[in-house]
């Protein structure tokens, strides 16, 4: 389908060390024995991780510190130490190198995962700050793009073992070279800056482009309050799947990455994560993977027009009114879409790929106009498109996820103020979202944990209200309490994997407390 694909194999044909070489090179044989995974190689995917033995949901597969972290390519201007976004006037310049910082006391100063002494010395020696136009912070943004590549290059001297591990990662240079918007942007913002502006002639253009490719292909988006990327020594080996079987999180400050199984991973099965946003439809995910990770996905979900029954891309047929419009060939970016209501004799409805894209772009623009907290506008949107978009179309699903979290949280909709009707609405959207998540983000995944937590709250309040009116029999009360207990228990397991400093980690603490209260009630109604 795409000319980029053929060259892919070429770039992969260069010889690469296996993960075993990497581990042995690190003198870490013990760790190799203990590892939950081994590494295989396939023609399609290159190296990929497989489970050495059955791995249970929630089990840690790996936990490791990053090789390098720093600003993302599309980041705003950030503090070089702690990566807080900097506003005009609310920042200082590093006394030594003159690059922007949040304060002279920033916790990321003289830290190898922040603004290290060596980075500061190089930025000073090269007089790099003379190119920073502080009259307008926006003009500094593109300069930030060269920082992570510089940090990688610094490793060559400060940590040659990590530099070797990094150089062993996929860069897709042969493919990327043929994509002018990727290659030329790197040439301008990274290569020319490091070699010409900063005068670091010891690095070659090829070497810097390779580093850029490695970062693009292998970085994890990390950070809790901040928007940064990190490269990890073994986690990069996980292959992509649009229904992943792992979940990962990163710690604040040290950026330790922990990968856990979200579902059971049988021995010999690939250990996967999704490089794309799972809540988008096949077309969007595949476009993202091709443009940013330089491969085409042929997973089960991508190959199935119904996306395994979650209908993330389906429209409702405007002709027969009852049929579902699906992509004729989801593995072809240019495929048309048709009504699939053959048995009920739809007169026939087909829409070309281009018109579908235009329609989705127009609807997306409309959604983007809705304020993040405007539940009324969200409900109006769902109502307006109820005969156009499938109820679980990814655009609807995004809105339903927002509603599942906003009802009960924002001003005017605090949980105890909600009418029974709105509580029921919150329950409905949570259940609808969970039905889809059970297909595309199954098991112990963060978004399921959050949605289960959101679901328990209205159920519990309705139960309390009804029990206060004494309209429930003891057995009905117990049945409903048991249901809340079930959701909350799973939410608690999932959310307690999250760092305590994160929003989800806090939710985990709240889930534990709520479970404690239910256990008190159990003393009255009896164990479930
Ligand atoms: C983060 S790297 C994974 C490690 C890589 N396979 C290696 O050997 O270094 C991502 C790259 O692996 C390949 N890859 C991962 N998952 C894939 C999949 N499901 N289908 C095809 N290629 C995949 C693609 O080349 C992608 O750009």
């Amino acid at each position: 389908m795409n000319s980029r694909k053929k060259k892919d194999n070429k770039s992969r044909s260069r010889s690469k060390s296996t993960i075993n070489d990497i581990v042995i090179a690190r003198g870490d044989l013990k760790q190799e024995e203990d590892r939950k995974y081994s590494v295989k190689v396939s023609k399609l995917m290159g190296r990929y991780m497989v489970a050495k033995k059955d791995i249970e949901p929630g089990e840690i597969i790996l936990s490791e510190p990053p090789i390098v972290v720093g600003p993302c390519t599309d980041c705003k201007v950030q503090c070089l130490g702690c990566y807080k976004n900097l506003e005009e006037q609310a920042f200082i310049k590093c006394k030594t190198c003159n690059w922007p910082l949040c304060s002279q006391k920033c916790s990321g100063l003289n830290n190898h995962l922040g603004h290290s002494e060596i980075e500061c010395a190089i930025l000073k020696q090269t007089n790099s700050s003379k190119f920073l136009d502080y009259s307008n912070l926006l003009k500094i943004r593109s300069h930030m793009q060269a920082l992570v590549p510089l940090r990688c290059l610094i490793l060559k001297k400060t940590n040659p073992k990590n530099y070797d591990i990094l150089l062993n990662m996929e860069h897709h240079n042969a493919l990327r070279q043929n994509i002018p918007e990727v290659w030329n942007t790197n040439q301008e913002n990274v290569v020319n800056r490091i070699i010409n502006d900063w005068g670091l002639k010891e690095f070659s253009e090829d070497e810097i482009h390779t580093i850029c490719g490695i970062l693009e292909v292998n970085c994890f988006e990390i950070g809790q309050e901040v928007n940064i990327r990190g490269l990890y020594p073994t986690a990069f080996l996980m292959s992509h799947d649009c229904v992943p079987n792992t979940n990962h999180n990163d710690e604040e400050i040290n950026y330790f990455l922990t990968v856990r199984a979200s579902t059971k991973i049988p021995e010999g099965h690939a250990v996967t994560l999704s490089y794309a946003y799972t809540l988008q439809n096949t077309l969007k995910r595949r476009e993202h993977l091709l443009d940013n990770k330089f491969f085409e996905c042929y997973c089960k979900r991508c190959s199935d027009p119904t996306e395994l029954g979650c209908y993330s891309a389906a429209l409702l047929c405007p002709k027969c009114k009852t049929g579902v419009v699906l992509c004729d060939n989801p593995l072809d970016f240019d495929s048309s879409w048709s009504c699939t209501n053959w048995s009920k004799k739809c007169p026939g409805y087909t829409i070309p790929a281009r018109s579908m894209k235009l329609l989705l772009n127009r609807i997306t623009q409309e959604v983007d106009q809705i304020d993040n907290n405007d539940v009324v506008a969200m409900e109006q949107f769902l109502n307006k498109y109820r005969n156009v978009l499938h109820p679980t179309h990814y655009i609807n699903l995004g809105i339903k996820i927002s509603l599942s979290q906003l009802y009960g949280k924002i001003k005017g909709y605090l949980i105890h103020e909600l009418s029974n009707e709105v509580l029921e609405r919150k329950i409905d959207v949570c259940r609808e979202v969970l039905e889809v998540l059970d297909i595309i983000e199954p098991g112990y995944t963060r978004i399921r944990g959050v949605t289960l937590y959101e679901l328990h709250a209205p159920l519990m309040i309705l139960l309390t209200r009804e029990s206060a009116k004494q309209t429930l029999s003891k057995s009905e009360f117990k049945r409903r309490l048991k249901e809340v207990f079930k959701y909350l228990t799973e939410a608690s397991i999932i959310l307690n994997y999250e760092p305590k400093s994160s929003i989800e980690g806090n939710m985990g603490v709240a889930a534990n407390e709520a479970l404690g209260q239910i256990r008190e009630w159990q003393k009255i109604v009896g164990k479930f």
Side-chain angles (χ1 to χ4, degrees), residues 12 16 44-45 47 172 217-218 236 240 275 293 295:
R12 211 178 271 126
K16 276 188 175 170
L44 182 73
M45 302 195 292
R47 294 167 296 185
H172 284 311
V217 174
N218 298 280
F236 78 94
H240 161 84
Y275 304 171
K293 302 291 170 184
F295 72 94

Side-chain angles (χ1 to χ4, degrees), residues 71-78 80 85-86 88 99-100 131-134 136-148 185 189-190 193 198 227 229:
C72 292
T73 42
D74 58 352
C75 71
K76 297 194 172 147
V77 175
Q78 297 178 338
L80 261 57
N85 283 341
L86 300 175
E88 299 279 355
W99 276 67
F131 299 97
L132 302 180
D133 179 356
Y134 277 108
N136 181 351
L137 269 192
L138 281 181
K139 291 192 182 158
I140 298 180
R141 273 182 80 168
S142 70
H143 294 254
M144 308 286 298
Q145 291 186 22
L147 278 178
V148 184
T185 308
N189 290 335
V190 186
R193 196 152 272 149
W198 302 351
N227 176 18
R229 52 182 168 160

Side-chain angles (χ1 to χ4, degrees), residues 229-463:
R229 52 182 168 160
L231 207 54
Y232 290 84
T234 49
F236 78 94
L237 287 160
M238 283 187 286
S239 53
H240 161 84
D241 198 287
C242 291
V243 182
N245 56 22
T246 64
N247 198 31
H248 61 267
N249 54 49
D250 56 280
E251 294 286 335
E252 234 180 357
I253 302 173
N254 68 12
Y255 309 113
F256 240 82
L257 186 84
T258 299
V259 177
R260 287 177 193 272
S262 47
T263 57
K264 181 173 177 141
I265 311 178
E267 180 183 335
H269 280 225
V271 176
T272 60
L273 85 155
S274 178
Y275 304 171
Y277 190 42
T278 50
L279 304 179
Q280 280 185 326
N281 68 358
T282 295
L283 188 64
K284 290 260 173 204
R285 293 191 316 278
R286 295 189 87 241
E287 267 173 7
H288 171 85
L289 293 168
L290 187 59
D291 293 347
N292 298 281
K293 302 291 170 184
F294 314 103
F295 72 94
E296 280 194 56
C297 183
Y298 296 98
C299 74
K300 277 192 192 150
R301 180 175 171 198
C302 284
S303 311
D304 176 359
T306 73
E307 302 199 28
L308 308 175
C310 72
Y311 294 93
S312 298
L315 299 190
L316 301 177
C317 179
K319 280 219 173 139
C320 70
K321 312 283 183 204
T322 50
V324 171
V325 179
L326 296 175
C327 189
D328 297 325
N329 178 6
L331 299 179
D332 177 358
F333 287 102
D334 299 323
S335 167
S336 53
W337 297 63
S338 307
C339 177
T340 52
N341 194 8
W342 315 120
S343 58
K344 297 250 173 67
K345 299 197 184 71
C346 176
Y349 176 75
T350 298
I351 169 167
R354 208 179 115 71
S355 311
M356 177 60 101
K357 278 184 195 153
L358 287 174
L359 175 70
L360 288 182
N361 284 347
R362 192 178 57 70
I363 300 180
T364 306
Q365 277 171 14
E366 200 175 323
V367 173
D368 290 345
Q369 300 299 316
I370 301 178
D371 183 272
N372 285 342
N373 287 337
D374 192 344
V375 296
V376 174
M378 290 182 195
E379 293 287 11
Q380 279 168 350
F381 174 91
L382 293 176
N383 190 38
K384 178 174 171 188
Y385 286 100
R386 71 188 184 286
N387 296 323
V388 179
L389 302 174
H390 188 279
T392 56
H393 187 279
Y394 79 97
I395 296 180
N396 279 346
L397 194 75
I399 291 192
K400 286 177 182 174
I401 289 176
S402 297
L403 287 174
S404 74
Q405 298 175 11
L406 290 171
Y407 282 131
K409 194 173 291 161
I410 55 166
K411 199 164 166 248
Y413 293 90
L414 295 178
I415 194 87
H416 290 283
E417 298 166 1
L418 297 183
S419 65
N420 287 2
E421 199 187 350
V422 181
L423 288 172
E424 294 285 2
R425 174 67 182 148
K426 182 170 166 94
I427 292 170
D428 285 349
V429 284
C430 287
R431 288 196 199 280
E432 215 176 337
V433 166
L434 277 168
E435 253 178 56
V436 177
L437 295 180
D438 286 346
I439 301 173
I440 60 177
E441 283 259 359
Y444 290 171
T445 54
R446 194 174 302 115
I447 181 79
R448 274 194 80 250
V450 169
T451 313
L452 285 163
Y453 181 80
E454 294 293 349
L455 174 59
H456 105 275
L459 286 171
M460 194 67 202
I461 290 178
L462 282 177
L463 185 58

Side-chain angles (χ1 to χ4, degrees), residues 479-523:
R479 186 194 65 75
R480 286 177 48 184
L481 194 61
K482 189 176 169 186
E483 187 192 13
V484 179
F485 188 75
K486 187 182 96 182
Y487 295 139
L488 208 46
T489 303
E490 198 178 1
S492 156
I493 294 172
I494 300 172
L495 297 170
N496 278 292
Y497 293 143
E498 298 297 318
K500 291 287 168 275
S501 53
S502 66
I503 294 172
E504 292 83 4
N506 276 315
M507 239 180 216
V509 173
N512 296 345
E513 282 168 13
L515 276 175
Q517 278 167 13
I518 295 185
R519 286 196 189 97
E520 287 301 309
W521 288 39
Q522 269 186 330
K523 288 181 190 160

